[in-house]
Structures are given as structure tokens and as C-alpha cells.
């Protein structure tokens, strides 16, 4: 396991916990922290036993309150055109593993965009989501203008982005930004573990193929998307995991997937 300054890492029964840990700055996403997150994601991808990545915060006050404004104030147009945070979040979205964002406290700007890059979002009622970048004279630049519209619809996304309004975990659940809602931080960790346990019982190759079919098929016509689905299924049919899954079902036992 790698050692980091701004995040904490642990692996438990196939779950890779990536804990954001800059409590003095409400987990403001500076360059160093983003580099550490990317290194951790790469590490999780390289461990065969890991099936699920959970991104959470050590602090209950903030999941991540956005980009580091001191660093942001010095950025130029060339910085905006570099891969940066957008590329990192693309990597998280396209991860071979299932990803969960467990959100308590503030998830603003880049923090909200980080949560949206994950497959599943779990939040407490006290969580606060928002994309307030226009207050700084810039726009959400780590996927916020695209992912938010795809998750909650263009009209609601424009409202949140243009007005900069912040919404609670309860409202986020109502509009579909959040997948599961819980009352407290303790409940949050329990729910994250419960959802992770369900994911661990699914075929890992099937998870990867299903994610790819959804993401790549979303923005093309349905006929093309259905061919993507069919080709993904053809790959799944040739795996040992498919044979194990069907055999286990017929034999009334829990499958033991080997990721091949």
C-alpha cells in the first residue's frame, strides 16, 4: 500500500477506501491532493482483489469544498487546457472497478464533480451539494457542466450552475443527484459497506462491461448503443465468470467470481 499526505488508504475485503484528509481546508482539492488521488486510483486498479472503490472524507464537515482557490487564482488559459482535474474524474468514471462516493458535509465545485464521477452517490441529509464557480468568474471545469445535466436534466443543471445555489442531501435525493440518502455519518459508512457488499457479489467483468455500455451508449443513437450492449454481452458470454455465475444459480450457491 502506498503512503500519502493528503489522503488515507485502506483495503478491506475487496473494498478500497480512499479517504480525503485535508480537514483544515475542508479538503480543498489542491494539485498535490489531486495527484495523490490519481495515484491511489491507479493503485486500486492494479489490485485484482479490489472490486469496489469508496471515496469518503475523514471529516464530517466536508467531503470536498472545491478547488484550492489560492492555486486557482494563479491559473492561466494553458492550465485550463491541460488534462488536469477533468482527466482525473474521467479516469474515475471509466474505472474497471465500481465506485461509490460517500458524502457528508460540503461537496462543492470540484468536490461535487468528484462525487458525480462515481457510479453511486450516498449522502447524509446534512450534505451540501453545489457548483458555485460562477461566483469566481469561471465555470465548472471538471465535468460539472456535462455530468450534472446528464444526471438531473438540463433545466435543473442550468439552475444550479447559473444561480450557484446549494442543495441539501434531501433535495439532491429528490432530483436524482444522490442514489441513497441516510441520516448520519455513521449511517453513511454502514450504507456504503452494504452497497459495496452487493457489488462484491456481482461479476467484476460484468460490472466493467455494464459501465462501459451505459457511459459509451448514452450519447449515441439507441440503435448504435444497443449494438454496444450486444457486443459487450458477447464478451461476457466468453468469460469464466459467466459460466460460474450461471452454474452457481442452478446449483443454488453463491458464485465465486475470478475476474476472468
Amino acid at each position: 500500500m502506498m503512503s500519502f499526505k493528503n489522503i488515507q488508504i485502506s483495503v478491506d475485503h475487496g473494498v478500497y477506501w480512499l479517504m480525503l484528509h485535508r480537514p483544515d481546508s475542508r479538503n480543498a482539492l489542491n494539485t498535490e491532493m489531486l495527484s495523490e488521488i490519481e495515484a491511489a486510483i491507479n493503485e486500486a486498479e492494479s489490485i485484482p482483489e479490489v472490486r469496489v472503490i469508496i471515496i469518503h472524507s475523514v471529516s464530517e464537515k466536508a467531503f470536498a469544498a472545491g478547488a484550492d482557490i489560492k492555486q486557482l487564482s494563479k491559473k492561466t488559459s494553458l492550465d485550463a487546457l491541460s488534462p488536469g482535474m477533468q482527466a482525473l474524474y474521467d479516469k474515475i468514471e471509466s474505472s474497471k472497478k465500481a465506485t461509490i462516493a460517500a458524502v457528508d458535509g460540503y461537496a462543492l465545485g470540484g468536490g461535487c464533480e468528484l462525487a458525480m464521477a462515481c457510479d453511486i452517490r450516498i449522502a447524509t441529509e446534512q450534505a451540501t451539494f453545489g457548483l458555485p464557480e460562477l461566483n469566481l468568474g469561471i465555470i465548472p471545469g471538471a465535468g460539472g457542466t456535462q455530468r450534472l445535466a446528464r444526471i438531473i436534466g438540463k433545466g435543473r443543471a442550468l439552475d444550479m450552475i447559473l444561480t450557484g445555489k446549494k442543495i441539501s442531501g434531501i433535495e439532491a435525493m429528490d432530483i436524482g443527484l444522490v442514489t441513497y440518502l441516510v441520516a448520519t455519518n455513521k449511517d453513511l459508512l454502514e450504507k456504503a459497506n452494504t452497497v459495496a457488499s452487493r457489488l462484491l457479489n456481482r461479476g467484476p467483468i460484468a460490472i466493467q462491461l455494464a459501465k462501459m455500455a451505459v457511459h459509451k451508449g448514452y450519447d449515441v443513437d439507441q440503435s448504435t448503443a444497443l449494438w454496444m450492449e450486444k457486443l459487450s454481452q458477447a464478451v461476457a458470454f466468453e468469460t469464466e465468470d459467466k459460466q460460474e455465475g450461471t452454474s452457481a444459480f442452478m446449483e443454488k450457491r453463491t458464485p465465486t467470481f475470478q475476474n476472468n
Side-chain angles (χ1 to χ4, degrees):
M1 298 294 299
M2 300 178 70
S3 177
F4 300 101
K5 176 183 176 182
N6 298 289
I7 61 176
Q8 295 179 358
I9 299 301
S10 65
V11 177
D12 182 27
H13 295 89
V15 178
Y16 189 99
W17 287 85
L18 194 167
M19 308 287 283
L20 308 177
H21 187 48
R22 288 191 72 206
D24 293 341
S25 63
R26 292 182 175 177
N27 292 331
L29 297 161
N30 63 6
T31 301
E32 185 179 15
M33 189 178 197
L34 290 168
S35 295
E36 291 185 2
I37 292 172
E38 182 168 17
I41 294 297
N42 289 338
E43 180 180 63
E45 291 284 330
S46 71
I47 303 174
E49 294 78 14
V50 168
R51 304 277 181 86
V52 181
I53 301 170
I54 298 178
I55 301 178
H56 183 45
S57 171
V58 173
S59 169
E60 296 182 16
K61 294 181 179 179
F63 175 74
D68 189 301
I69 305 300
K70 291 181 181 178
Q71 290 185 351
L72 182 62
S73 67
K74 300 175 182 178
K75 290 187 179 293
T76 67
S77 58
L78 291 179
D79 293 314
L81 293 173
S82 68
M85 193 183 293
Q86 191 182 88
L88 171 57
Y89 293 178
D90 284 347
K91 176 177 288 189
I92 293 171
E93 183 177 70
S94 61
S95 171
K96 294 183 293 185
K97 320 293 184 176
T99 57
I100 299 172
V103 180
D104 194 10
Y106 291 106
L108 304 177
C112 183
E113 290 169 309
L114 173 57
M116 289 192 291
C118 294
D119 301 321
I120 295 170
R121 285 163 294 283
I122 308 171
T124 65
E125 295 175 355
Q126 297 76 32
T128 302
F129 295 87
L131 293 173
E133 284 88 346
L134 271 67
N135 294 336
L136 303 173
I138 60 174
I139 69 171
T145 63
Q146 303 306 306
R147 289 194 179 93
L148 186 62
R150 285 163 170 76
I151 294 171
I152 68 173
K154 186 167 68 172
R156 285 189 172 124
L158 280 168
D159 180 34
M160 283 188 65
I161 292 169
L162 297 182
T163 67
K165 76 174 183 179
K166 301 177 182 68
I167 62 173
S168 69
I170 296 172
E171 186 174 352
M173 181 68 180
D174 289 340
I175 65 177
L177 180 56
V178 165
T179 320
Y180 299 98
L181 183 70
V182 297
T184 68
N185 191 271
K186 180 182 177 182
D187 297 329
L188 180 67
L189 298 179
E190 291 177 356
K191 189 65 175 181
N193 273 313
T194 298
V195 175
S197 296
R198 294 176 189 161
L199 293 167
L200 290 169
N201 290 327
R202 304 297 180 263
I205 297 176
I207 283 179
Q208 182 180 350
L209 291 170
K211 287 180 58 171
M212 183 177 65
V214 170
H215 289 311
K216 300 302 182 184
Y218 192 87
D219 293 318
V220 301
D221 64 275
Q222 182 168 297
S223 179
T224 302
L226 287 171
W227 267 107
M228 290 182 181
E229 180 183 88
K230 188 175 288 292
L231 292 171
S232 298
Q233 186 73 298
V235 173
F237 274 9
E238 290 300 311
T239 64
E240 293 181 15
D241 278 356
K242 174 259 186 181
Q243 190 59 47
E244 166 63 13
T246 53
S247 296
F249 180 84
M250 291 185 289
E251 295 165 9
K252 295 181 172 55
R253 61 176 175 82
T254 301
T256 303
F257 294 115
Q258 299 298 323
N259 200 15
N260 54 38

